[in-house]
mmCIF file of all heavy atoms in Angstrom:
data_model
loop_
_atom_site.group_PDB
_atom_site.id
_atom_site.type_symbol
_atom_site.label_atom_id
_atom_site.label_comp_id
_atom_site.label_asym_id
_atom_site.label_seq_id
_atom_site.Cartn_x
_atom_site.Cartn_y
_atom_site.Cartn_z
ATOM 1 N N ARG H 54 23.244 0.197 30.321
ATOM 2 C CA ARG H 54 23.371 0.081 28.841
ATOM 3 C C ARG H 54 24.756 0.531 28.400
ATOM 4 O O ARG H 54 25.409 -0.138 27.567
ATOM 5 C CB ARG H 54 22.323 0.939 28.138
ATOM 6 C CG ARG H 54 20.985 0.242 27.897
ATOM 7 C CD ARG H 54 20.140 1.021 26.859
ATOM 8 N NE ARG H 54 19.833 2.379 27.323
ATOM 9 C CZ ARG H 54 18.847 2.628 28.165
ATOM 10 N NH1 ARG H 54 18.051 1.678 28.616
ATOM 11 N NH2 ARG H 54 18.584 3.898 28.532
ATOM 12 N N ALA H 59 30.149 -0.756 26.406
ATOM 13 C CA ALA H 59 31.595 -0.518 26.591
ATOM 14 C C ALA H 59 32.356 -1.837 26.766
ATOM 15 O O ALA H 59 33.541 -1.915 26.398
ATOM 16 C CB ALA H 59 31.835 0.425 27.761
ATOM 17 N N ALA H 60 31.702 -2.821 27.368
ATOM 18 C CA ALA H 60 32.331 -4.070 27.591
ATOM 19 C C ALA H 60 32.497 -4.827 26.281
ATOM 20 O O ALA H 60 33.368 -5.651 26.122
ATOM 21 C CB ALA H 60 31.571 -4.918 28.582
ATOM 22 N N THR H 78 32.408 -8.316 33.784
ATOM 23 C CA THR H 78 33.680 -8.270 34.490
ATOM 24 C C THR H 78 33.498 -7.485 35.799
ATOM 25 O O THR H 78 32.551 -6.746 35.937
ATOM 26 C CB THR H 78 34.747 -7.601 33.615
ATOM 27 O OG1 THR H 78 34.290 -6.279 33.270
ATOM 28 C CG2 THR H 78 34.970 -8.424 32.358
ATOM 29 N N TYR H 80 34.850 -4.813 36.932
ATOM 30 C CA TYR H 80 34.789 -3.366 36.746
ATOM 31 C C TYR H 80 33.334 -2.900 36.484
ATOM 32 O O TYR H 80 32.823 -1.992 37.112
ATOM 33 C CB TYR H 80 35.695 -2.959 35.594
ATOM 34 C CG TYR H 80 35.811 -1.487 35.289
ATOM 35 C CD1 TYR H 80 36.380 -0.577 36.201
ATOM 36 C CD2 TYR H 80 35.377 -0.987 34.084
ATOM 37 C CE1 TYR H 80 36.506 0.763 35.899
ATOM 38 C CE2 TYR H 80 35.535 0.369 33.766
ATOM 39 C CZ TYR H 80 36.071 1.231 34.662
ATOM 40 O OH TYR H 80 36.221 2.556 34.360
ATOM 41 N N THR H 189 43.233 10.303 43.425
ATOM 42 C CA THR H 189 43.444 11.251 42.335
ATOM 43 C C THR H 189 42.313 11.166 41.280
ATOM 44 O O THR H 189 42.305 11.942 40.330
ATOM 45 C CB THR H 189 44.831 11.107 41.675
ATOM 46 O OG1 THR H 189 45.265 12.277 41.108
ATOM 47 C CG2 THR H 189 44.871 9.947 40.702
ATOM 48 N N ARG H 199 20.311 20.638 42.323
ATOM 49 C CA ARG H 199 19.281 21.679 42.051
ATOM 50 C C ARG H 199 18.588 21.492 40.714
ATOM 51 O O ARG H 199 17.554 22.095 40.462
ATOM 52 C CB ARG H 199 19.925 23.091 42.211
ATOM 53 C CG ARG H 199 20.940 23.467 41.192
ATOM 54 C CD ARG H 199 21.691 24.748 41.614
ATOM 55 N NE ARG H 199 22.640 24.490 42.665
ATOM 56 C CZ ARG H 199 22.724 25.152 43.818
ATOM 57 N NH1 ARG H 199 21.899 26.148 44.060
ATOM 58 N NH2 ARG H 199 23.639 24.828 44.711
ATOM 59 N N ASP H 203 20.935 13.358 37.027
ATOM 60 C CA ASP H 203 21.149 11.946 37.353
ATOM 61 C C ASP H 203 22.497 11.609 37.981
ATOM 62 O O ASP H 203 22.854 10.447 38.114
ATOM 63 C CB ASP H 203 20.997 11.125 36.074
ATOM 64 C CG ASP H 203 19.639 11.247 35.417
ATOM 65 O OD1 ASP H 203 18.642 11.373 36.161
ATOM 66 O OD2 ASP H 203 19.571 11.284 34.186
ATOM 67 N N HIS H 208 27.939 9.052 40.402
ATOM 68 C CA HIS H 208 28.978 9.184 41.403
ATOM 69 C C HIS H 208 29.263 7.844 42.071
ATOM 70 O O HIS H 208 30.423 7.463 42.236
ATOM 71 C CB HIS H 208 28.543 10.207 42.510
ATOM 72 C CG HIS H 208 28.456 11.609 42.005
ATOM 73 N ND1 HIS H 208 27.999 12.633 42.829
ATOM 74 C CD2 HIS H 208 28.787 12.207 40.847
ATOM 75 C CE1 HIS H 208 28.007 13.774 42.173
ATOM 76 N NE2 HIS H 208 28.495 13.527 40.961
ATOM 77 N N ASP H 225 49.030 -4.692 39.917
ATOM 78 C CA ASP H 225 49.880 -4.892 38.744
ATOM 79 C C ASP H 225 51.028 -3.914 38.707
ATOM 80 O O ASP H 225 51.648 -3.680 37.667
ATOM 81 C CB ASP H 225 48.994 -4.712 37.470
ATOM 82 C CG ASP H 225 49.589 -5.314 36.242
ATOM 83 O OD1 ASP H 225 50.599 -6.086 36.351
ATOM 84 O OD2 ASP H 225 49.117 -5.058 35.103
ATOM 85 N N LYS H 228 51.986 2.728 40.311
ATOM 86 C CA LYS H 228 52.285 3.498 41.512
ATOM 87 C C LYS H 228 51.369 4.718 41.682
ATOM 88 O O LYS H 228 51.025 5.395 40.690
ATOM 89 C CB LYS H 228 53.748 4.011 41.442
ATOM 90 C CG LYS H 228 54.768 2.951 41.112
ATOM 91 C CD LYS H 228 54.836 1.854 42.166
ATOM 92 C CE LYS H 228 55.310 2.437 43.499
ATOM 93 N NZ LYS H 228 55.173 1.399 44.575
ATOM 94 N N GLN H 238 49.565 18.828 47.797
ATOM 95 C CA GLN H 238 48.775 18.978 46.610
ATOM 96 C C GLN H 238 47.801 17.806 46.458
ATOM 97 O O GLN H 238 47.527 17.341 45.367
ATOM 98 C CB GLN H 238 49.671 19.138 45.381
ATOM 99 C CG GLN H 238 50.415 20.468 45.308
ATOM 100 C CD GLN H 238 51.507 20.482 44.269
ATOM 101 O OE1 GLN H 238 52.418 19.656 44.320
ATOM 102 N NE2 GLN H 238 51.476 21.434 43.366
ATOM 103 N N ARG P 54 46.550 -3.296 29.997
ATOM 104 C CA ARG P 54 46.196 -4.622 30.492
ATOM 105 C C ARG P 54 44.890 -4.565 31.298
ATOM 106 O O ARG P 54 44.013 -5.415 31.138
ATOM 107 C CB ARG P 54 47.319 -5.189 31.383
ATOM 108 C CG ARG P 54 48.384 -5.985 30.679
ATOM 109 C CD ARG P 54 49.242 -6.797 31.667
ATOM 110 N NE ARG P 54 49.925 -5.954 32.660
ATOM 111 C CZ ARG P 54 51.041 -5.309 32.454
ATOM 112 N NH1 ARG P 54 51.660 -5.400 31.274
ATOM 113 N NH2 ARG P 54 51.592 -4.563 33.412
ATOM 114 N N ALA P 59 39.132 -5.681 31.680
ATOM 115 C CA ALA P 59 37.805 -5.134 32.053
ATOM 116 C C ALA P 59 36.819 -5.283 30.901
ATOM 117 O O ALA P 59 35.623 -5.413 31.127
ATOM 118 C CB ALA P 59 37.937 -3.700 32.470
ATOM 119 N N ALA P 60 37.328 -5.234 29.678
ATOM 120 C CA ALA P 60 36.430 -5.387 28.537
ATOM 121 C C ALA P 60 35.965 -6.790 28.406
ATOM 122 O O ALA P 60 34.897 -7.034 27.849
ATOM 123 C CB ALA P 60 37.155 -4.943 27.231
ATOM 124 N N THR P 78 36.376 -1.302 22.223
ATOM 125 C CA THR P 78 35.264 -0.363 22.155
ATOM 126 C C THR P 78 35.773 1.076 22.329
ATOM 127 O O THR P 78 36.899 1.262 22.814
ATOM 128 C CB THR P 78 34.237 -0.668 23.277
ATOM 129 O OG1 THR P 78 34.904 -0.595 24.548
ATOM 130 C CG2 THR P 78 33.662 -2.082 23.097
ATOM 131 N N TYR P 80 35.188 3.388 24.489
ATOM 132 C CA TYR P 80 35.590 3.732 25.882
ATOM 133 C C TYR P 80 37.034 3.304 26.189
ATOM 134 O O TYR P 80 37.825 4.116 26.677
ATOM 135 C CB TYR P 80 34.624 3.039 26.825
ATOM 136 C CG TYR P 80 34.781 3.316 28.296
ATOM 137 C CD1 TYR P 80 34.566 4.569 28.822
ATOM 138 C CD2 TYR P 80 35.136 2.266 29.172
ATOM 139 C CE1 TYR P 80 34.682 4.826 30.177
ATOM 140 C CE2 TYR P 80 35.235 2.505 30.547
ATOM 141 C CZ TYR P 80 35.018 3.796 31.046
ATOM 142 O OH TYR P 80 35.135 4.038 32.388
ATOM 143 N N THR P 189 31.327 16.616 36.790
ATOM 144 C CA THR P 189 31.181 15.997 38.125
ATOM 145 C C THR P 189 32.116 14.795 38.279
ATOM 146 O O THR P 189 32.136 14.198 39.369
ATOM 147 C CB THR P 189 29.708 15.640 38.401
ATOM 148 O OG1 THR P 189 29.495 15.641 39.825
ATOM 149 C CG2 THR P 189 29.295 14.316 37.801
ATOM 150 N N ARG P 199 55.559 14.376 43.280
ATOM 151 C CA ARG P 199 56.703 14.321 44.166
ATOM 152 C C ARG P 199 57.137 12.895 44.460
ATOM 153 O O ARG P 199 58.240 12.680 44.943
ATOM 154 C CB ARG P 199 56.427 15.103 45.470
ATOM 155 C CG ARG P 199 55.393 14.535 46.386
ATOM 156 C CD ARG P 199 55.023 15.566 47.481
ATOM 157 N NE ARG P 199 54.174 16.603 46.975
ATOM 158 C CZ ARG P 199 54.393 17.915 47.134
ATOM 159 N NH1 ARG P 199 55.445 18.334 47.834
ATOM 160 N NH2 ARG P 199 53.570 18.783 46.627
ATOM 161 N N ASP P 203 52.569 7.097 38.887
ATOM 162 C CA ASP P 203 52.131 6.934 37.519
ATOM 163 C C ASP P 203 50.854 7.660 37.181
ATOM 164 O O ASP P 203 50.283 7.437 36.101
ATOM 165 C CB ASP P 203 51.930 5.407 37.243
ATOM 166 C CG ASP P 203 53.162 4.585 37.463
ATOM 167 O OD1 ASP P 203 54.267 5.080 37.118
ATOM 168 O OD2 ASP P 203 53.048 3.451 37.950
ATOM 169 N N HIS P 208 45.406 10.069 34.675
ATOM 170 C CA HIS P 208 44.594 11.240 34.527
ATOM 171 C C HIS P 208 44.083 11.422 33.102
ATOM 172 O O HIS P 208 42.917 11.707 32.865
ATOM 173 C CB HIS P 208 45.356 12.514 34.936
ATOM 174 C CG HIS P 208 45.677 12.589 36.419
ATOM 175 N ND1 HIS P 208 46.506 13.593 36.968
ATOM 176 C CD2 HIS P 208 45.291 11.809 37.431
ATOM 177 C CE1 HIS P 208 46.614 13.389 38.250
ATOM 178 N NE2 HIS P 208 45.893 12.350 38.593
ATOM 179 N N ASP P 225 21.973 9.184 25.430
ATOM 180 C CA ASP P 225 20.952 8.223 25.863
ATOM 181 C C ASP P 225 20.056 8.804 26.910
ATOM 182 O O ASP P 225 19.370 8.099 27.659
ATOM 183 C CB ASP P 225 21.671 6.958 26.394
ATOM 184 C CG ASP P 225 20.757 5.743 26.437
ATOM 185 O OD1 ASP P 225 19.643 5.773 25.852
ATOM 186 O OD2 ASP P 225 21.163 4.741 27.071
ATOM 187 N N LYS P 228 20.786 12.900 32.409
ATOM 188 C CA LYS P 228 20.840 14.326 32.694
ATOM 189 C C LYS P 228 22.018 14.730 33.609
ATOM 190 O O LYS P 228 22.336 13.998 34.567
ATOM 191 C CB LYS P 228 19.541 14.757 33.411
ATOM 192 C CG LYS P 228 18.267 14.284 32.697
ATOM 193 C CD LYS P 228 18.104 14.868 31.315
ATOM 194 C CE LYS P 228 18.021 16.388 31.324
ATOM 195 N NZ LYS P 228 18.034 16.927 29.965
ATOM 196 N N GLN P 238 27.681 25.076 43.648
ATOM 197 C CA GLN P 238 28.345 23.850 44.141
ATOM 198 C C GLN P 238 28.969 23.072 43.030
ATOM 199 O O GLN P 238 28.967 21.834 42.976
ATOM 200 C CB GLN P 238 27.321 22.988 44.900
ATOM 201 C CG GLN P 238 26.891 23.589 46.265
ATOM 202 C CD GLN P 238 25.670 22.890 46.831
ATOM 203 O OE1 GLN P 238 24.619 22.765 46.195
ATOM 204 N NE2 GLN P 238 25.796 22.395 48.042
#
Side-chain angles (χ1 to χ4, degrees):
Chain H
R54 272 195 298 278
T78 58
Y80 183 66
T189 207
R199 67 191 75 231
D203 301 323
H208 292 175
D225 199 11
K228 310 298 296 173
Q238 290 167 303
Chain P
R54 271 195 300 279
T78 58
Y80 183 65
T189 206
R199 67 191 78 230
D203 301 323
H208 291 173
D225 200 12
K228 310 299 298 174
Q238 288 168 305

